[in-house]
Amino acid sequence: GADMLERQLHTCRQVALDFSQVDILTSPGVQLIVALEKTLTESNGALVIREVKSAVAEVFSDLGFERLLRTAS
């Protein structure tokens, strides 16, 4: 469950999320991303969010999370 996922996250160096199908970002989604980034940062990892639509990118920007956004490479 969640405990196993959290233990595995502590061994990850980078987690990439594909947001190409995400049209809106709600408060629970933001909370999950904040918690995920915190967990990864504490273990010297990084969260990368790819393929973000402009409306969702605006939410990230408003929250000061634009550093998480990556363009496709």
Side-chain angles (χ1 to χ4, degrees), residues 6 9-13 34-47:
E6 186 164 343
L9 285 174
H10 283 288
T11 64
C12 291
R13 292 293 163 237
V34 168
L36 178 57
E37 183 194 25
K38 180 180 179 200
T39 298
L40 288 165
T41 300
E42 288 172 352
S43 62
N44 296 317
L47 175 62

Side-chain angles (χ1 to χ4, degrees), residues 17-37 47 49-66 68-69:
L17 301 178
D18 178 349
F19 266 46
S20 61
Q21 300 298 312
V22 177
D23 295 318
I24 61 170
L25 189 59
T26 62
S27 181
V30 171
Q31 291 172 349
L32 180 63
I33 291 167
V34 168
L36 178 57
E37 183 194 25
L47 175 62
I49 302 173
R50 302 179 187 277
E51 304 295 327
V52 180
K53 295 179 181 179
S54 61
V56 176
E58 286 182 36
V59 172
F60 279 106
S61 181
D62 291 346
L63 294 172
F65 291 143
E66 55 273 321
L68 300 176
L69 306 180

